[in-house]
Amino acid sequence: MSAPGRIPVCLSIAGSDSGGGAGIQADLKAFARCGVHGTTAVTALTAQNTVAVTRVLPIDPDMVVAQIEAVAGDLGIDAVKIGMVGGVPVIEAVAAALDALPAGTPVVLDPVMIAESGGRLLQSEAEQALVALLLPRATVVTPNVPEARVLAGDRHSALDGADLARAVRAAGARNVVVTGGHRETATDVLLTEDGAVLEIPGARHPDGAAHGSGCTHSSALAAHLALGFTLQESARAARAIAADAVRHGLRALGAGPGPVNVLGVGYGDVHAVAGSGRLGAAPQPA
Ligand code: PLP
C-alpha cells in the first residue's frame, strides 16, 4: 500500500449537504487541508441550507457498500471517517463493510444526529443500532455533549467532561473525544482505552459560523491518524483545525449559522492572490 510518494487516502462515509457547510462537502475540504486524498461513500442526499434541512433521500445500502468497496479495492483506505448514516439499513451495511477492511484501519465515528439548523439526520429508532453496531467498530468516537448523552443512554443526563466520556466508553466505545463546542469551556476531552484523560483546551468562537465544525473535526482527526500521528496528536490537531475553521467561518453566507471555512481563505484573500498575479490578472470592475 505504501508505494513511494503515495499520499494517504481517507474515506468519508457521510451525507451530502447541498449548502456545502457540513457532510461530505466539509469532509473533503478538511482532508485537503490536512494533505490527504479524500474519497467518499455517500449515505444520503440532504436538501439543506443554513436555515433548514428540507428533504433527505437515503442512498440504497448496497450502493453505499459498493462505494466503499470501489475505493478500498483500488486506492486503499488509510483511515475512515463516518458521519451521517441516517437509519438502520445503512448502519448495518456500513458495519459489514468495515469488517471487510484490513484489520487495524483507523475508524473515526462522528455520531451525527441533528443538523446545526435543528433538522434530524439520524432516525431515533436508529440510535440503538448506531451504538450496537458502529460504536464497537470505531477506533475513536467524537460526540458533542448532547450526542454523548444519547450514546451513553441518557439524553437528559447532567454528565459532562471526563465522566461523560467514561459513560460513552461504558456503552462500548474504545476511545472517546467529547468535543467542546457545546461546553462552557470549549475544551475537548479525550478518554483513551487505558483510562487516561487528556484535556485539550481551545478558543471558543461563539459568534458563529459553526455549521460543519463537527464534520471538520472528525475528518481532520481521521486524516492525522492516516498520516501516522498518535491519537493524542491527532485529537489536538483536530481541535485546532476545527476552531480555526469556525474562526474563519463564512458569517455573511445564508440567514442561519454560516458554514465553517477550513481552508481559511476569505473573499478578500482570493482577490489579493488574483491581484498578485499568481492567478493571472485581477478582474477589473466594469
Ligand atoms: N452531515 C450532514 C450531511 C449534515 O447535513 C450535517 C449538518 O447539517 C452534519 C453531518 C453535521 O454537521 P456539524 O458538523 O455541524 O455537526
Side-chain angles (χ1 to χ4, degrees), residues 163-224:
D163 289 337
L164 183 55
R166 283 187 201 99
V168 175
R169 272 211 70 210
R174 268 172 63 195
N175 300 285
V176 182
V177 179
V178 178
T179 59
H182 294 71
R183 308 181 64 224
E184 284 293 304
T185 56
T187 297
D188 284 3
V189 176
L190 167 64
L191 173 69
T192 48
E193 50 195 331
D194 57 3
V197 173
L198 175 67
E199 299 219 335
I200 309 172
R204 185 175 176 78
H205 305 291
D207 57 327
H211 178 59
S213 54
C215 302
T216 300
H217 181 283
S218 51
S219 295
L221 180 46
H224 280 77

Side-chain angles (χ1 to χ4, degrees), residues 33 202-205 209 213 216-217 236-251 259-265:
R33 155 90 185 252
R204 185 175 176 78
H205 305 291
S213 54
T216 300
H217 181 283
R236 285 187 201 280
R239 173 74 185 85
I241 288 169
D244 207 37
V246 176
R247 186 163 65 86
H248 286 100
L250 305 173
R251 288 167 183 75
V260 295
N261 178 13
V262 72
L263 299 174
V265 180

Side-chain angles (χ1 to χ4, degrees), residues 80-82 95 98-99 105-111 130-142 151 172-176 193 225 231:
V80 177
K81 170 252 158 88
I82 304 174
L98 291 179
D99 289 344
T105 305
V107 175
V108 178
L109 173 63
D110 179 14
L130 187 136
V131 171
L133 296 178
L134 296 185
L135 211 55
R137 288 177 166 84
T139 311
V140 55
V141 58
T142 62
L151 295 179
R174 268 172 63 195
N175 300 285
V176 182
E193 50 195 331
L225 293 174
L231 181 55

